[in-house]
Amino acid sequence: MGSIIVHGGAGVFADADVEAAKAGAARAADAGYAVLARGGSALAAVEAAVRVLEDDPVFNAGYGAVLNERGDIETDACVMESSAADRAGRVGAVAAVPFFRHPVTLARLVMEEGRHAMIVGEGATLFAAERGLTPSSREEMIAPHRAKQHAGDTVGACAIDDRGHVAAATSTGGTSGKRVGRVGDAPLVGCGTYAEFGAGAASATGHGESIMRVVLAKDAIDQLRAGRAVGEVARGTIDALVRRTDGEAGVILVDASGAIAHYASTPRMPWAHVVAGVRAVGIENA
Ligand code: ASP
């Protein structure tokens, strides 16, 4: 049947947003698991889950993404899948893309085309138009509360399907008040997102500039491939990031047996998972 785990970003969720964040994470995990339960791929499951999170204004991705220093939205997203036939995997990413409600789908289209691994800015907008994706207007993308406040966190999902294929997806508005053109860890393969058949899948969240320096998602998958327990790897990679940088972060993992883990050094990170048909949801950091 497979397993799926999702996160709604490592950070500081206001008390008032806790229930909405948990409910949103649960809805996303259910949407992803529904794909797995009907025999769908891990890739389709993580895309479905992340689309639900992108639609939810409580999270910093798609609709509800935070604003940059000019008051605009520039989103980053990545998908990666790896199968028995293609262990090195396939990857697609977009970065600094304005005004698309579902950047994760754009990333998947980049992957499916197979010509490039990442397309940014205006090029991503042109590619989206070519694929028939219509941009949203500024008004449709900026959630009312974002116009007033800068907060919120990235979203991501990791899944394994019943053939053992693994996939990860991460989508974000980035850091609030960021420079125009700033790209975070989320769309960078191996930093915010990674998947390898026989090892597992990882999606990271938190201070992108720190996550890049430790190449967090790839490091986690290397440790899973070496046989370490998934819970230890989640905690170990985040503890190492905190030791080696001045950043904070969180990660979700699924391993090749379908076991999952989540861990964050921040006060809160909403998560939800469905393993063997049983769903759990929470927002605390471990
Ligand atoms: N990692 C994201 C970035 O730096 C932000 C986050 O996870 O909250 O763009």
Side-chain angles (χ1 to χ4, degrees), residues 10 60 76 152-154 172 174-175 182 184-186 204-209 211:
N60 169 21
D76 301 336
D153 301 284
T154 297
T172 185
T175 48
R182 180 264 187 190
D185 61 295
T205 167
H207 186 239
E209 286 72 7
I211 294 169

Side-chain angles (χ1 to χ4, degrees), residues 187-207:
L188 303 183
V189 63
C191 296
T193 311
Y194 203 70
E196 184 182 313
F197 180 80
S203 170
T205 167
H207 186 239

Side-chain angles (χ1 to χ4, degrees), residues 89-100:
R90 298 197 298 160
V91 68
V94 291
V97 194
F99 305 127
F100 283 94

Side-chain angles (χ1 to χ4, degrees), residues 133-158:
L133 260 65
T134 39
S136 302
S137 69
R138 214 188 130 78
E139 292 66 38
E140 282 165 340
M141 279 293 284
I142 300 180
H145 64 297
R146 295 292 185 218
K148 291 188 228 103
Q149 107 202 12
H150 293 293
D153 301 284
T154 297
V155 305
C158 300

